[in-house]
Structure formats: structure tokens, C-alpha cells
Amino acid sequence: MRKIIAWVLMVTLFLTPVMGCAPKQFIPYEPPAVEFERTPQYEGIDFEAIPKPKKIKPVFVDENFKEVPAEEAKFVLLVPKEYAKVAAVVKLAKTYKQLAQEQEVLINTNVDIINSLKEYVALEQMKAKEYRRLWADSENAYRQERYQHKLDNAINKGFAATIAIGAAVLLAIIAL
Amino acid sequence: MNAAVVIIGSIAGLSLLAALVMWITGRGSKKSDILKAIHEATQDKGKKKVEEITKKEKVVEVNIREKEKLATESRNKIKDIQKKAAAEIEEVLKEDNLKKIQDEIDEDWDEL
């Protein structure tokens, strides 16, 4: 008899902490951290860094190639130094065209980045909605479980009380 | 003796009744298991959806980073064009050989 009592006590002592253990902790999904560096402001083109030729000084000549005022001139003569200015202007025009084209590329790249970021925001919103739905589902499951637990407790307590009262009444009747 | 048997019998009977009632009224483990299964399935489905969205985000993120590199390259290219043009214009302004000047004009004209 003592052995049985000792065994029952040991088993009870062993089971109490096991049954009292909290359920496994829920570890939520950790999304990878995403960080974008700030894009610096566009400095723009430094036009001062591109040399501009001074105004062309042509020599106005008539049909005999004699220097005359501009109003009477038939032809224009340019010394090599002045003609080089024409070449410089052509180069300048070509440069401006290249700059405009490259800026167009830069603008479109930035437009692409903006559109990608918009897409990213939309995906983040989708994810937030999904997280909210999961949260609501968990909350509802928890509420349902709590309600069922309360109901079970109430029913069990009610019947236990009824049976205890019934037993007491029965004992009283027998005793009388 | 009779009274003791009746008491013990009554207690045993009531205990059996209590156990029966609790077994009938208590929530069956099946219902609990079904609710758990539904909850877990919903959570798994949601988790998969979130992971899919995260994958899509990763693609967009890579795209953004690539575009950022392109933008930086474009900025540098613009600076290079400026520097190259400045050097070329300086050089052509110093030129006094008409043939070379004309060659420069011919070469650049087509790119206007």
C-alpha cells in the first residue's frame, strides 16, 4: 500500500511540472531588412567648365576681296584663329546634344527607379494586408478558444456543483 | 452495512454520472483538432503568400539597385562628356591649321 502511495506521489510530482509547462513559443517570420541609401541631388551641368569661344571677328570683303564695311560686303573671310571658333561652336553644339541625350538616359533611369519604388510600396501594402489578415485569424482563433474554454469550465463547474449538491442531499436523506 | 453499501454505491454512481456528463458536454478533441488544423492551414497559406511577396520585393529591390548603378554611371558619363568637351574645345581653339580645323568641323557636323 505504501509503495503504491509512493508511486502515485512520484508520478504526480513528475507530471505536475510537465503539465504546467507553457506551450511552445510562437516565433513570427522575420522579413529581411531592406535599406536604400539616399540618392544625392543631381548637381547639374557645370557650363562654366566648358570653354566658350569669344565672338567671331570676320573680315568683310567685296567681290574683289577688298575689306569693306559689313553692309557692303559680299563675302566673309576668316583667319584660322577665327575659323577655329566655328569648329569650337560645332563641338559645343555636339557636346550639348550628347549632354541632353545622357540626361535623358539619367531621367528615364530615375523614372524607372520611381516606378520600381511604387511597385515596392504596392507589394509592401499587399504584405501588410496579409499580415493583418493573419493577425485577425489568430485573434479570432484565440477568442474562439477562450470562449470554448470558458464554456467548458462553466459546464464542468455547473455539473460538478449539481452532483456535489445531489450527493449531499442523498447523504442527508440516507442519514435521516 | 447496508447504509455503507448504499453510500459507496451512490457515490460511485454519481461519479460515473459526472464522468459521463462531462464526457458528453465537454468539447471533443476532434472539434479542437479541426479548429487547430484550419488555423494552421490558414497561417501556412498566409506565410507562403508573404514569402512570395517578399520574393517579388527582392526582384524589385535588385532592379532598383541596378538602376541606381546605371544612374551613377550616367552621372559620371555626363561629367566625362563635360571634361572631354572642355579639353577638345580648348585644343581646337589653339589650332591654326585650316585643314585640321576643317576636318574637325566635318567630323563633328555629322553628329549634330
Side-chain angles (χ1 to χ4, degrees):
Chain A
M1 190 66 182
R2 279 183 185 174
K3 275 187 180 175
I4 293 167
I5 292 167
W7 270 107
V8 167
L9 278 172
M10 274 174 70
V11 168
T12 313
L13 282 170
F14 174 74
L15 283 176
T16 309
V18 172
M19 289 172 80
C21 276
K24 207 173 111 187
Q25 200 180 359
F26 171 70
I27 300 160
Y29 169 71
E30 190 71 38
V34 178
E35 273 181 41
F36 290 111
E37 283 173 22
R38 286 185 71 85
T39 309
Q41 285 273 320
Y42 178 54
E43 293 156 10
I45 298 165
D46 183 9
F47 288 104
E48 296 302 315
I50 306 169
K52 278 171 278 297
K54 287 179 183 168
K55 281 183 184 172
I56 294 171
K57 289 176 187 166
V59 179
F60 299 102
V61 291
D62 60 10
E63 58 270 18
N64 298 316
F65 293 99
K66 279 187 178 175
E67 191 173 354
V68 288
E71 302 83 50
E72 297 164 28
K74 292 282 179 191
F75 302 105
V76 165
L77 295 180
L78 291 172
V79 292
K81 196 183 160 191
E82 296 304 316
Y83 194 45
K85 288 178 184 175
V86 175
V89 169
V90 172
K91 263 194 198 303
L92 207 57
K94 188 188 88 176
T95 304
Y96 285 169
K97 187 185 173 184
Q98 283 176 339
L99 288 172
Q101 283 171 335
E102 203 51 46
Q103 279 192 332
E104 189 185 325
V105 172
L106 182 62
I107 289 165
N108 282 330
T109 308
N110 282 318
V111 167
D112 284 346
I113 291 172
I114 292 166
N115 286 334
S116 294
L117 285 170
K118 282 177 185 173
E119 198 183 335
Y120 198 88
V121 169
L123 287 169
E124 269 297 307
Q125 277 180 344
M126 269 170 75
K127 208 156 80 171
K129 270 184 191 171
E130 194 54 40
Y131 277 137
R132 205 162 53 229
R133 204 177 62 78
L134 289 177
W135 172 40
D137 178 66
S138 288
E139 184 65 26
N140 286 331
Y142 164 72
R143 286 181 186 197
Q144 178 71 21
E145 194 60 40
R146 203 159 178 264
Y147 167 75
Q148 292 288 351
H149 182 70
K150 270 187 174 178
L151 196 68
D152 279 357
N153 272 352
I155 291 168
N156 290 346
K157 279 177 186 171
F159 275 103
T162 310
I163 287 161
I165 292 163
V169 169
L170 196 69
L171 281 171
I173 292 166
I174 290 164
L176 286 172
Chain B
M1 186 68 183
N2 276 347
V5 170
V6 169
I7 289 166
I8 292 165
S10 305
I11 290 168
L14 286 168
S15 301
L16 270 174
L17 183 70
L20 189 70
V21 165
M22 280 179 185
W23 182 69
I24 294 164
T25 58
R27 190 153 46 108
S29 62
K30 267 189 185 174
K31 194 184 174 188
S32 185
D33 287 347
I34 290 166
L35 285 175
K36 192 187 168 200
I38 291 169
H39 177 66
E40 279 179 355
T42 312
Q43 291 291 318
D44 277 348
K45 199 180 159 191
K47 219 188 280 180
K48 275 177 192 165
K49 201 171 175 185
V50 167
E51 278 166 14
E52 271 174 33
I53 296 168
T54 308
K55 272 181 196 167
K56 281 181 189 171
E57 279 184 344
K58 192 76 195 162
V59 173
V60 176
E61 188 199 334
V62 169
N63 190 27
I64 291 169
R65 294 202 192 282
E66 277 174 10
K67 294 284 177 189
E68 277 181 334
K69 274 184 195 168
L70 283 177
T72 310
E73 279 171 20
S74 272
R75 284 173 186 235
N76 291 336
K77 204 172 171 185
I78 287 168
K79 280 179 187 168
D80 289 344
I81 290 169
Q82 273 177 245
K83 279 181 193 169
K84 196 182 161 198
E88 281 179 3
I89 291 166
E90 289 277 9
E91 205 181 312
V92 82
L93 283 172
K94 286 175 194 164
E95 190 59 63
D96 57 2
N97 184 321
L98 278 172
K99 170 78 172 82
K100 282 184 181 174
I101 293 168
Q102 187 57 46
D103 286 346
E104 287 281 344
I105 291 171
D106 288 342
E107 194 184 310
D108 292 336
W109 202 270
D110 294 334
E111 291 178 48
L112 291 179

